[in-house]
Amino acid sequence: MKIEIAKSDLENALAIVGNTVSGSGSDLSAHFLFRVYEGVAQVLAFHHRTFSLAPLKARVEGEDGDAFTVEAWRLTKWVSGIGDVAVLLSTDGKGEVKVAGGRSTIRLRSLDPSKFPYWDKTLAAAKNTGSVPAQRLGAALGYARRFVSQEDTTRPEISQVEAMDGCLWSSDRRTVSLVKVDGLQDMGLRVAGKDIPSVLKFLTSKPTVDDTVEVLEADSAVYFRRTDGAHVGAARPNAAFPKLKGVESDASEVWVEFAGDDLRSAVNVLSASASKDNEAILLSVKGKQLVFSMPSEAGGTDEYAVDLTGSENLEAFPAEGASIGFAHLLGFCDHFSLDTLRLEVHFKGKGGFFAFRKGTSEEDVNSYYTVVVWRT
């Protein structure tokens, strides 16, 4: 079996499958697998719950089923050290792979390709549930992952993102995020939080980000495939995202708006005197100002007052103030590079939640809605 390919084309293919290869060990999960499939040369990789494939723009000699593997880090390192030349990969089928290009020739070891966990049958049986521009889906998934729980062993149902009724849902118990994405109406995909980075790298990298991806769903996996056949997949979590009621709400008539830079300053200043493990900040209203405060490690409470850039019905703001994790507030500002942040105040029982909305006009292809529970 022989594969002749331009260095640049090989690099582009390895950049795709390199997102799902192990960075340690020497088993098959740390190898790239090259094969001939339906007359086309391909490179594949897998690691734990994620897997990927890229077709090769190459000349190939071999029959369907021919395959060999090479350690990923060795091939990647070698490719980075050669010039812009043609690369020839060849094997005699006895466990040795010769890699040649320009003035360099090296020999690498192949593992048994028959032991590779191919997913051809699962992919062939998967249902196409729709197509979405990769940039749109990547933006939605990148935001939703901010609110995925890290409790994957004890709370697997919220340690993921799931598509329901055209929205990507995620939650870390203190927050619930909904991202409405045009094109997700018929999808029910689930992606575990720890698998999202591999999917995101595929969706947001060139040239995928300028392409449209098909979403193919099977009982055991979900695949994101671009028009040339390159794709990334992830195992489907067994636990379903909980059906949450009362999350979506109409716009509140009580809201405050303030500068993002003022929020950053308040967090930096108040964190300097607070306990190192403090993650909450109290918001209260005094006159026409919003006051941020944290308990000082030395005793008492330190405050940082800022002018509001907008407000409605300030007199209805919780008199005792509302405590919230400041990382969520900073996340809103940083993700969207906001100059100002508007928080709606909603009341429920003895507490309530802040609601953040972005992209609510008819021209927006994605709309973002996140609620964060506050305590008095």
Side-chain angles (χ1 to χ4, degrees), residues 128-147:
N128 185 335
T129 54
S131 298
V132 185
Q135 186 175 31
R136 182 189 305 170
L137 184 56
L141 195 59
Y143 180 80
R145 70 176 292 206
R146 288 177 171 269
F147 309 99

Side-chain angles (χ1 to χ4, degrees), residues 48-353:
H48 293 315
R49 299 166 47 87
T50 58
F51 30 89
S52 57
L53 176 152
L56 299 173
K57 297 178 180 179
R59 292 197 309 172
V60 59
E61 293 181 18
E63 300 179 354
D64 273 11
D66 287 349
F68 62 84
T69 78
V70 294
E71 281 189 271
W73 75 267
R74 294 185 187 277
L75 181 60
T76 303
K77 189 175 183 67
W78 179 83
V79 169
S80 69
I82 65 172
D84 189 12
V85 297
V87 174
L88 179 65
L89 301 98
S90 59
T91 181
D92 58 5
K94 297 180 180 179
E96 181 178 286
V97 179
K98 185 180 292 186
V99 185
R103 295 174 295 175
S104 171
T105 300
I106 62 172
R107 293 183 302 276
L108 299 176
R109 180 173 59 92
S110 173
L111 297 181
D112 184 355
S114 69
K115 304 296 184 182
F116 192 86
Y118 299 101
W119 53 90
D120 302 313
K121 291 182 179 179
T122 308
L123 177 60
K127 178 183 178 182
N128 185 335
T129 54
S131 298
V132 185
Q135 186 175 31
R136 182 189 305 170
L137 184 56
L141 195 59
Y143 180 80
R145 70 176 292 206
R146 288 177 171 269
F147 309 99
V148 172
S149 171
Q150 302 300 309
E151 304 169 281
D152 54 293
T153 55
T154 57
R155 297 295 303 274
E157 70 277 9
I158 58 172
S159 300
Q160 63 181 334
V161 168
E162 181 166 349
M164 295 186 292
D165 301 321
C167 293
L168 285 181
W169 288 69
S170 57
S171 175
D172 59 6
R173 291 202 287 179
R174 296 286 295 175
T175 65
V176 181
S177 169
L178 287 75
V179 186
K180 186 176 182 180
V181 184
D182 188 19
L184 256 66
Q185 289 82 350
D186 297 323
M187 297 183 191
L189 64 91
R190 292 180 197 155
V191 182
K194 57 189 175 184
D195 299 334
I196 292 176
S198 295
V199 176
L200 269 181
K201 286 179 182 178
F202 176 73
L203 294 175
T204 58
S205 63
K206 291 283 189 179
T208 310
V209 69
D210 299 318
D211 203 347
T212 295
V213 293
E214 295 176 309
V215 177
L216 301 108
E217 299 181 47
D219 291 340
S220 59
V222 60
Y223 305 88
F224 303 87
R225 184 171 65 187
R226 69 188 193 196
T227 52
D228 68 352
H231 61 262
V232 65
R236 179 179 173 87
N238 293 322
F241 193 89
K243 300 290 186 181
L244 303 176
K245 298 180 180 180
V247 174
E248 296 182 83
S249 61
D250 295 331
S252 172
E253 295 182 356
V254 182
W255 55 267
V256 292
E257 185 182 82
F258 48 91
D261 284 343
D262 284 343
L263 170 65
R264 296 183 185 93
S265 295
V267 171
N268 287 335
V269 168
L270 297 174
S271 294
S273 64
S275 171
K276 285 185 178 181
D277 60 359
N278 177 69
E279 299 177 346
I281 193 167
L282 184 73
L283 280 64
S284 57
V285 170
K286 291 185 179 180
K288 297 293 185 181
Q289 287 189 314
L290 183 66
V291 178
F292 298 101
S293 60
M294 291 185 193
S296 172
E297 193 173 43
T301 300
D302 290 331
E303 297 181 344
Y304 190 95
V306 302
D307 292 329
L308 290 165
T309 58
S311 64
E312 191 71 36
N313 295 317
L314 277 183
E315 65 278 2
F317 197 90
E320 305 85 354
S323 179
I324 185 176
F326 57 77
H328 295 120
L329 301 184
L330 292 173
F332 298 148
C333 293
D334 294 342
H335 187 85
F336 294 106
S337 301
L338 300 177
D339 293 325
T340 59
L341 175 63
R342 175 181 290 198
L343 295 177
E344 297 176 11
V345 185
H346 295 260
F347 301 90
K348 192 170 185 179
K350 295 182 179 181
F353 58 87

Side-chain angles (χ1 to χ4, degrees), residues 20-31 46-48 71-73:
T20 64
V21 72
S22 174
S24 60
S26 57
D27 62 4
L28 278 169
S29 68
H31 279 231
F46 80 98
H47 182 49
H48 293 315
E71 281 189 271
W73 75 267

